[in-house]
Amino acid sequence: MSNLQKALRASQPTCRDYEADLVGWALDNAALLRAGRLSEIDAAHLAEELEDLGKSERRSLGSHLRVLVTHLLKWQYQPGLRGASWRLSVLNARAAIRGILADSPSLVPEAPRQLEANYHLARANAIGETGLAEGTFPSTCPYSIEQVLSDGFWPQ
């Protein structure tokens, strides 16, 4: 190997330990990919991280939907307490959800399922935060995904 080849090789990335430094490992693997050094990539951990990324985005979508629906329920069933903080919470959650769906369009079909799956927790949160009787709130989500994401939708 020539001195130039050795110098180039020394300046190219190596892969840090996955368990010791996740961020460093991810950056190293990205550099290895860009350099075309596919045989040096930690493929098993990379596949695992890619799968986890999808799970994380789904959890984030569900979490934002839960917050959004909690506040929509409070808005609807406690009209006398409507205020700027509830409005801002709704608007921020809608913006976050739109951002997630824009970044990951494959989650768009998942959004209605996440809305239904997270409704029971949103309802429980609304019950806990308002002190209203459980029977006050519908047992199934009264809003469509289109409604919850629409800036013009404010349940009465």
Side-chain angles (χ1 to χ4, degrees):
M1 186 180 290
S2 73
N3 286 339
L4 178 59
Q5 288 172 321
K6 289 178 186 175
L8 285 173
R9 183 86 172 156
S11 69
Q12 293 181 348
T14 58
C15 190
R16 282 175 260 206
D17 182 56
Y18 173 80
E19 301 294 335
D21 183 358
L22 179 61
V23 172
W25 169 89
L27 294 172
D28 291 346
N29 273 276
L32 289 168
L33 272 169
R34 286 187 186 95
R37 294 170 53 194
L38 304 181
S39 65
E40 297 174 54
I41 291 172
D42 183 355
H45 285 124
L46 186 58
E48 183 179 321
E49 288 301 316
L50 289 172
E51 289 168 348
D52 286 348
L53 177 64
K55 291 176 189 173
S56 176
E57 287 299 297
R58 265 191 301 283
R59 281 191 300 271
S60 180
L61 175 62
S63 175
H64 287 294
L65 283 167
R66 187 169 48 254
V67 168
L68 174 55
V69 172
T70 297
H71 282 90
L72 289 175
L73 288 169
K74 289 168 38 178
W75 185 271
Q76 182 172 358
Y77 291 97
Q78 284 192 315
L81 298 178
R82 292 175 184 165
S85 67
W86 288 1
R87 180 177 294 278
L88 285 174
S89 180
V90 167
L91 294 174
N92 287 333
R94 285 175 172 156
I97 293 164
R98 280 194 212 97
I100 291 167
L101 297 177
D103 288 346
S104 301
S106 64
L107 288 177
V108 170
E110 179 74 17
R113 287 189 291 274
Q114 285 293 322
L115 176 62
E116 292 302 321
N118 283 278
Y119 178 72
H120 73 283
L121 287 173
R123 180 177 182 260
N125 289 343
I127 292 165
E129 289 181 30
T130 64
L132 296 174
E134 188 175 320
T136 303
F137 302 97
S139 59
T140 60
C141 187
Y143 318 123
S144 70
I145 192 68
E146 293 80 16
Q147 287 175 315
V148 299
L149 295 181
S150 170
D151 283 337
F153 178 70
W154 295 92
Q156 297 306 321

